[in-house]
Amino acid sequence: MLQLKTVALVKTLDELEHLPDGKLLINTINAHSYNNAQKDPAFAEALLGGDALLPDGMSIVMACRLIRAKSRPQRRIAGWDLFVSEMQRLQRKAEQDGEKRRVMFLGSSEPVLECIVQRVHTDYPLLEVHTYSPPYRAEFCDTDNAEMLDAIHRADPDLLWIGMTAPKQEKWTFAHWQQMDVHCHVGTIGAVFDFYAGTLRRAPEWMQRCGLEWLFRLLCEPRRMWRRYILGNAEFLARVIGECL
């Protein structure tokens, strides 16, 4: 079981920016994924089995302080923060070496990936983009898995993003981690694909600063999100109180 009291979290942006080079699996955790991890042992194993875990939610930051956890993040570090940090780092390396670097986006739909490719070419001109859109189904078959791994190996990326929504992306990446012959950071970032492509709006910056991004998503999609944020936040609070007892 995943317990906030003992889990190791990245605590600052500076710590994030100084993660070591090489093959590294980076996941994020928020109230929703914390709740799901309590009911899904494979998801909990995938989150804890990575090399770095980011507190993607003010609820996680505040809960860690409340229960005096082993790791007490100074601030929320969202999937978007990870994305910007890693892309800028790779762009800087390309500028220093005078050679293009490869970034791969695995997940989402072809239209979203096309928007991502166009924006990366503008924002990070020294990054060569590779993409792969997996089939849209609840579970991948062996052929699907083989084709996805083959696409990764052919791209030979210097940075790999997995965006298939949680917990699918974390469980798939962790299950195939040993089969991934890569030398780079791998981040599971879900909705960031849509944020960067412009197909999904992020909350205004003031709401992000105040830890209210969840409220923005609830207001934008109340029918789809009310269970996650109304019932889910209550469940999260109850579980955190349980960790205090």
Side-chain angles (χ1 to χ4, degrees), residues 68-164:
R68 299 181 180 276
K70 170 185 173 182
S71 295
R72 301 180 201 176
Q74 295 181 11
R75 53 155 289 172
R76 173 195 181 202
I77 305 175
W80 181 266
D81 298 316
L82 170 65
F83 177 78
V84 172
S85 174
E86 292 284 331
M87 294 291 280
Q88 289 180 346
R89 177 196 294 197
L90 196 60
Q91 174 74 11
R92 286 195 301 268
K93 287 182 178 180
E95 290 171 349
Q96 291 166 3
D97 299 343
E99 296 181 1
K100 282 201 169 188
R101 298 300 176 99
R102 296 177 299 279
V103 57
M104 182 176 187
F105 293 81
L106 172 67
S108 198
S109 65
E110 290 291 355
V112 169
L113 293 174
E114 288 175 9
C115 291
I116 288 174
V117 170
Q118 293 174 10
R119 185 169 176 186
V120 171
H121 284 164
T122 300
D123 294 345
Y124 307 99
L126 292 181
L127 302 189
E128 178 184 298
V129 186
H130 296 258
T131 64
Y132 185 83
S133 178
Y136 184 75
R137 38 177 159 254
E139 291 189 14
F140 298 122
C141 66
D142 290 343
T143 300
D144 296 333
N145 292 326
E147 290 177 349
M148 291 159 72
L149 289 169
D150 182 61
I152 292 172
H153 297 157
R154 282 187 282 106
D156 188 24
D158 298 299
L159 177 61
L160 173 59
W161 297 117
I162 310 288
M164 298 185 285

Side-chain angles (χ1 to χ4, degrees), residues 174-195:
F174 185 70
H176 297 89
W177 188 242
Q178 299 304 321
Q179 298 168 269
M180 286 190 197
D181 184 17
V182 295
H183 57 277
C184 64
H185 288 185
V186 179
T188 56
I189 56 173
V192 175
F193 277 43
D194 288 299
F195 290 146

Side-chain angles (χ1 to χ4, degrees), residues 14-72:
D14 185 65
E15 185 179 337
L16 171 64
E17 291 168 0
H18 288 87
L19 291 174
D21 291 334
K23 187 178 182 182
L24 210 70
L25 176 55
I26 309 171
N27 295 315
T28 66
I29 183 171
N30 55 30
H32 181 60
S33 53
Y34 170 86
N35 287 342
N36 285 342
Q38 310 311 312
K39 312 163 198 172
D40 186 343
F43 184 33
E45 182 183 17
L47 288 175
L48 295 173
D51 299 289
L53 188 59
L54 311 185
D56 183 8
M58 279 304 299
S59 53
I60 297 293
V61 175
M62 295 170 67
C64 287
R65 294 173 185 169
L66 174 67
I67 63 178
R68 299 181 180 276
K70 170 185 173 182
S71 295
R72 301 180 201 176

Side-chain angles (χ1 to χ4, degrees), residues 5 26 42 80 98-99 106 119 130-131 134 151 155 157 172 174 187 190 201-202 207-208 210 222 224 228 241:
K5 188 172 288 187
I26 309 171
W80 181 266
E99 296 181 1
L106 172 67
R119 185 169 176 186
H130 296 258
T131 64
W172 186 89
F174 185 70
R201 287 177 59 202
R202 284 199 80 193
M207 295 188 81
Q208 296 178 42
C210 295
R224 191 169 77 88
R228 172 171 174 169
I241 292 173

